Amino acid sequence: MQPAGKHYVVSRPLYSEDAFAEEHKKTTRKRKTLRNHIKQYFTCDCNRVKNAALSLLPIIGWIKIYRVKEWLLNDIVSGVSTGLVAVLQGLAYSLLASIPPWYGLFAAFFPVITYFFLGTSRHISVGAFPVLSLMVGTVVTRLVPDDGPPANITGFEGLTMDEQRAMVAASVTFLMGIFQLGMGLLQVGFIVMYLSDTLVSGFTTAAAVHILVSQLKFVFGLTVPGFSGPLSIIYTLESIFGQITKTNICDLVTAIVVMVVVFIVKELNDRYKSKLPVPIPIEVIMTVIACGISYAVDFKEKYNVDIVGKIPSGFEPPTAPSLQIFQMTAVDTFPMAIVGFAVAFSVAKVYAVKHDYLIDGNQELIAFGVSNIFGATFKSLAASTALSRSAVQESTGGKTQIAGLLSAIIVMIVILAVGFLLEPLQKSVLGAVVIINLKGMLMQVREVPYLWRKDRPDCVVWLVTCVASILLGLDLGLGVGLGVELLTVVFRTQFPRCSVLANIKGTDIYRDRKDYLSIYEPEGVKIFRIPSPIFFANIEFFRGKLVEAVGFNPLRILRKRNKALRKIKKLLKKGELQVTAKGLLPSGSSPIVESEDESKMEDLDLPSDYSELPVQVNWNSQLPANICVPQVPIHSLVLDFAAVSFVDMSAMKGLKGALKEFIRVDVNIYIVACDMYVYEKLHSCKFFDDEIQTSMFFLTLHDAMLHILERHPDTSKLDSVSEKVFSDEKFDSLSNGRGSLRSRERTDKPGETKF
């Protein structure tokens, strides 16, 4: 029972699309042509110049509303905290890229400066990102391997291995920036939409596994050559475990101590974050302690540990990238551009929603493109945003990118003045910091059981992306994952869940007949719901499902009818059939044997020709002698187009053929809730003809059902409750008890059906 006051009553005429169009005239909308769009795009006025300036320099928008008294102190505290973390992560993530540590510091300075002016996010911290650094490192080790000669590149003459690798990393970063800037200028920021959260989760989990394996050589203090390409992770593990007996105990113990302490304090930070004014910067604290102990005990000489080593003071002069490296790395660099932007945009979107402001995807592409181009000129590592560093900037009270600018100043101080203090730092400490920060990405594996229970296609995308990225490498793995993701979309639309609908008693609501008990289906009517767009790949699937739903193949019945008509006409000419008041009867006592006429078989698919018959053939009655044609159990077929957003040309031909097959076996077709865009396209593509007419289109499903009940009152009976919904005063005659309705309502007593 619904509570009182929860009902609504609407009284209106029954509308087909034609009737509605006659009564309600549409306004004339002027459609813009391509010429209009081009003209508008190149038209310049004061407002467009102002909007363009605000779009390209978002700083103009937020600097005007900056609250100095309320925000400045928060930004200072956040900037200092983020700067300290950025220094440490810059050193650590450069190891992933297989370049000297100080180049990672440049990634925390140069890109931040340009993003300050061009970026639309106020909270993300720009700099090195572990996944991106690892992807750069894969290219670096391929062109400049640990063992063997480097690639034949002109600019390598006279350079050390470290300088060659820095050159490769800078050129890759420059090309990545060009790709991002180009996509931003072409307004294709939407491309990130093709990377679903599931795909990104599986990809970053695989990247975390790669990062973990790549840092084991520093934790164990081993010399492991860099591997690239498919199965590189297997070869790396094989090399590590082949040398496990050569482990440097000092590096291993130091790394374990750092990881345990950092893990414990990070857990405490999470548990008591509401009570702590700022999170405890435990990575920085442990780095300072480890650096001091290493310097005091002289770990380098006594235990032969690998340390950061000499850090040059100051910045390097700007250099041009190598075009040869561009040619050799373009295929590898494009996925980096997509991944770097996708991760940064995802993080920026989270904070934009949290703090209620807007970000622009295309402007973010431009900002990161320019930042990477500018940074690469000074040999910076590829920049995106690290989740942990952005969390520090936001959680410590950062309000705008002024906090990011202050963090860049902290990095600059380290580069220019105090970098030498980090020279005794063990690389195993940096490796330990990297590994412990992978917890969030590695724990994403917990999503798999949930996805398997809730959405198995999504779970398949996660698993395939993760496994492919681990085994084939991050670039190929991302391509495989994207391909599988697009395939799942195709399969969802190509094989959707079609359903047969029925009326819910006492309402104008129609639902899947399999899901409800109290349903009513007028005899001779089938309502078929199509739950997706109709296009070339799924039209045959829909035709098969439609035949399955109605329980017969209309083309097969049409052919049998036309064969029967041929036979009847032939027998009438021979005098073997005679016309009587009861219909057609054999004139003799011997049975008529039907023979196949192979001539003109193609005519069997055409509409039945009754022109030469003296009487109308009732196909639902018994035909003379041995002529047998299956009966058609329905007189009306309703197609619910409410979820059909488009129909392509190939599907239109298939749909037209399917509808004609039903019409030719005397089934009335009704199409309901058709989107106006689809309806107009059907008009413009000459979909309608003598057989398929606009009169079969109705505004709603209930309008079509009322129309059917008006045309076939003798086949339906409405119960006292449904009658109120199905009929108004002009359908009162339908309640006289004629016909029947099928009910699946549970009986109150054994053998009793409630109507």
Side-chain angles (χ1 to χ4, degrees):
M1 286 288 294
Q2 289 186 340
K6 294 293 184 180
H7 296 77
Y8 74 90
V9 177
V10 176
S11 177
R12 65 168 177 81
L14 185 157
Y15 282 127
S16 66
E17 287 285 357
D18 291 344
F20 186 80
E22 288 178 8
E23 186 171 331
H24 301 274
K25 299 301 180 183
K26 295 174 65 176
T27 60
T28 303
R29 288 194 296 169
K30 186 178 180 181
R31 306 277 184 181
K32 286 187 177 180
T33 63
L34 179 61
R35 181 181 178 183
N36 297 137
H37 284 290
I38 295 174
K39 183 179 179 181
Q40 182 181 3
Y41 185 80
F42 288 103
T43 300
C44 185
D45 55 34
C46 293
N47 286 332
R48 291 204 67 184
V49 172
K50 180 182 176 182
N51 292 335
L54 289 174
S55 175
L56 290 174
L57 292 171
I59 186 176
I60 298 173
W62 61 261
I63 202 71
K64 294 188 297 184
I65 61 171
Y66 191 81
R67 304 171 190 171
V68 177
K69 293 182 179 179
E70 298 178 33
W71 293 355
L72 184 58
L73 181 59
N74 288 330
D75 279 341
I76 292 173
V77 173
S78 175
V80 173
S81 303
T82 308
L84 294 174
V85 175
V87 169
L88 180 59
Q89 291 188 347
L91 294 172
Y93 295 157
S94 61
L95 299 181
L96 298 173
S98 300
I99 59 177
W102 62 86
Y103 289 107
L105 296 178
F106 298 159
F109 178 75
F110 292 107
V112 177
I113 302 299
T114 49
Y115 188 85
F116 174 78
F117 294 100
L118 300 175
T120 58
S121 174
R122 303 176 195 172
H123 292 87
I124 64 171
S125 175
V126 178
F129 176 56
V131 176
L132 206 54
S133 300
L134 185 67
M135 296 177 78
V136 172
T138 302
V139 178
V140 168
T141 53
R142 191 183 79 229
L143 298 185
V144 188
D146 292 323
D147 299 322
N152 186 19
I153 296 173
T154 305
F156 278 180
E157 290 88 354
L159 299 180
T160 64
M161 178 185 285
D162 284 346
E163 290 170 337
Q164 290 174 350
R165 289 186 165 185
M167 181 179 178
V168 173
S171 297
V172 168
T173 301
F174 195 98
L175 183 57
M176 173 181 154
I178 291 175
F179 281 136
Q180 290 177 330
L181 179 60
M183 288 189 290
L185 294 176
L186 293 174
Q187 304 286 292
V188 292
F190 65 86
I191 196 170
V192 74
M193 297 178 185
Y194 291 101
L195 302 180
S196 67
D197 291 343
T198 304
L199 183 142
V200 171
S201 174
F203 177 76
T204 51
T205 303
V209 174
H210 276 283
I211 294 168
L212 174 63
V213 171
S214 71
Q215 295 307 290
L216 291 179
K217 64 181 180 181
F218 298 113
V219 171
F220 289 107
L222 302 173
T223 302
V224 178
F227 297 99
S228 59
L231 302 181
S232 59
I233 192 171
I234 305 297
Y235 301 139
T236 303
L237 287 171
E238 182 183 15
S239 179
I240 290 172
F241 287 108
Q243 307 177 59
I244 199 70
T245 56
K246 300 178 183 178
T247 299
N248 189 309
I249 301 301
C250 181
D251 273 332
L252 180 60
V253 171
T254 304
I256 291 174
V257 170
V258 170
M259 283 192 282
V260 169
V261 174
V262 171
F263 176 79
I264 292 173
V265 176
K266 275 183 168 288
E267 290 297 312
L268 292 175
N269 278 341
D270 289 340
R271 180 170 297 184
Y272 299 107
K273 60 184 177 182
S274 59
K275 298 180 181 179
L276 293 172
V278 295
I280 301 171
I282 186 60
E283 295 104 324
V284 177
I285 294 172
M286 290 304 295
T287 301
V288 172
I289 294 173
C291 196
I293 294 175
S294 177
Y295 176 76
V297 181
D298 197 5
F299 280 165
K300 171 66 176 173
E301 296 298 329
K302 287 187 177 181
Y303 301 105
N304 194 31
V305 300
D306 196 8
I307 61 173
V308 170
K310 185 172 179 57
I311 298 180
S313 297
F315 299 104
E316 297 196 6
T319 57
S322 169
L323 296 180
Q324 280 183 285
I325 296 176
F326 282 4
Q327 295 173 352
M328 301 171 73
T329 61
V331 176
D332 303 276
T333 306
F334 186 73
M336 297 181 200
I338 299 297
V339 170
F341 169 64
V343 172
F345 186 73
S346 299
V347 177
K349 191 163 56 175
V350 170
Y351 290 126
V353 171
K354 182 177 180 179
H355 295 278
D356 193 23
Y357 63 88
L358 297 177
I359 57 173
D360 183 347
N362 292 312
Q363 181 60 27
E364 286 293 291
L365 271 170
I366 293 173
F368 277 104
V370 173
S371 296
N372 280 309
I373 291 172
F374 179 63
T377 305
F378 294 91
K379 296 187 178 179
S380 162
L381 184 58
S384 179
T385 182
L387 309 183
S388 56
R389 195 170 59 248
S390 296
V392 169
Q393 181 165 318
E394 192 267 345
S395 63
T396 51
K399 301 296 182 183
T400 64
Q401 280 300 328
I402 287 178
L405 185 64
L406 291 172
S407 74
I409 292 174
I410 298 295
V411 175
M412 181 183 69
I413 293 171
V414 172
I415 294 173
L416 296 178
V418 298
F420 68 93
L421 296 176
L422 297 171
E423 291 177 3
L425 182 62
Q426 295 169 249
K427 288 185 178 179
S428 60
V429 174
L430 296 177
V433 171
V434 170
I435 290 173
I436 207 65
N437 278 299
L438 295 176
K439 178 196 168 188
M441 287 194 287
L442 289 172
M443 293 306 290
Q444 291 176 138
V445 75
R446 293 182 299 183
E447 296 177 12
V448 174
Y450 176 81
L451 287 173
W452 182 255
R453 293 192 303 269
K454 301 299 182 182
D455 195 328
R456 291 190 178 179
D458 261 4
C459 186
V460 170
V461 170
W462 196 102
L463 291 172
V464 171
T465 304
C466 185
V467 173
S469 299
I470 290 174
L471 297 179
L472 302 179
L474 295 179
D475 47 357
L476 292 176
L478 180 63
V480 171
L482 185 58
V484 172
E485 181 182 52
L486 294 179
L487 279 177
T488 61
V489 175
V490 171
F491 286 144
R492 287 176 195 263
T493 52
Q494 189 173 353
F495 306 109
R497 182 181 178 274
C498 301
S499 55
V500 176
L501 305 184
N503 175 251
I504 304 298
K505 185 183 71 172
T507 72
D508 60 348
I509 298 169
Y510 296 80
R511 290 289 186 267
D512 191 336
R513 65 191 301 274
K514 296 179 180 179
D515 295 336
Y516 294 88
L517 294 172
S518 264
I519 63 168
Y520 292 90
E521 298 179 272
E523 293 224 7
V525 181
K526 282 289 182 186
I527 307 170
F528 184 75
R529 184 174 186 272
I530 301 174
S532 80
I534 307 175
F535 58 103
F536 65 93
N538 65 9
I539 181 61
E540 291 304 321
F541 172 80
F542 281 131
R543 293 183 68 164
K545 284 292 183 181
L546 185 56
V547 167
E548 182 183 326
V550 297
F552 64 92
N553 187 328
L555 183 59
R556 180 171 171 269
I557 291 178
L558 177 64
R559 289 172 176 172
K560 284 187 173 291
R561 284 188 180 184
N562 284 334
K563 283 183 181 181
L565 279 175
R566 285 184 184 181
K567 189 66 178 178
I568 290 172
K569 290 178 181 179
K570 188 180 296 185
L571 295 174
L572 283 171
K573 286 181 180 180
K574 292 181 178 180
E576 297 181 14
L577 281 181
Q578 60 180 353
V579 180
T580 67
K582 296 181 179 180
L584 297 171
L585 293 175
S587 58
S589 58
S590 60
I592 299 173
V593 179
E594 183 182 4
S595 63
E596 289 289 340
D597 185 1
E598 298 297 333
S599 64
K600 298 182 180 180
M601 291 296 291
E602 66 276 5
D603 293 342
L604 295 178
D605 294 347
L606 297 178
S608 301
D609 182 13
Y610 300 100
S611 58
E612 298 178 8
L613 288 179
V615 293
Q616 181 69 37
V617 179
N618 183 0
W619 296 108
N620 290 326
S621 64
Q622 186 176 0
L623 298 176
N626 290 347
I627 298 178
C628 180
V629 176
Q631 295 187 2
V632 176
I634 63 172
H635 55 71
S636 300
L637 174 61
V638 184
L639 301 180
D640 185 355
F641 267 38
V644 178
S645 57
F646 71 86
V647 181
D648 70 2
M649 295 299 295
S650 299
M652 205 175 295
K653 293 178 182 178
L655 178 65
K656 189 171 184 177
L659 298 186
K660 286 190 174 186
E661 289 171 7
F662 280 100
I663 292 171
R664 289 169 182 177
V665 293
D666 304 321
V667 175
N668 297 314
I669 301 293
Y670 302 93
I671 298 176
V672 302
C674 182
D675 183 84
M676 284 309 297
Y677 164 78
V678 175
Y679 186 68
E680 290 171 4
K681 185 175 181 180
L682 295 177
H683 264 288
S684 63
C685 294
K686 306 294 189 292
F687 182 77
F688 300 103
D689 54 24
D690 293 340
E691 291 181 278
I692 300 178
Q693 301 176 352
T694 57
S695 58
M696 67 173 56
F697 284 76
F698 281 77
L699 226 58
T700 69
L701 179 49
H702 202 60
D703 283 312
M705 291 300 295
L706 290 175
H707 176 77
I708 292 169
L709 292 173
E710 182 180 21
R711 291 190 62 181
H712 302 274
D714 58 330
T715 61
S716 301
K717 172 189 174 184
L718 305 177
D719 71 339
S720 59
V721 180
S722 295
E723 181 181 327
K724 297 176 183 177
V725 181
F726 268 104
S727 55
D728 55 16
E729 60 274 8
K730 68 180 180 178
F731 298 136
D732 282 344
S733 61
L734 301 183
S735 60
N736 294 331
R738 293 169 292 181
S740 64
L741 278 170
R742 284 173 287 180
S743 172
R744 295 174 61 204
E745 184 174 357
R746 287 176 178 167
T747 54
D748 295 335
K749 297 178 182 179
E752 178 184 347
T753 302
K754 183 179 179 181
F755 285 93

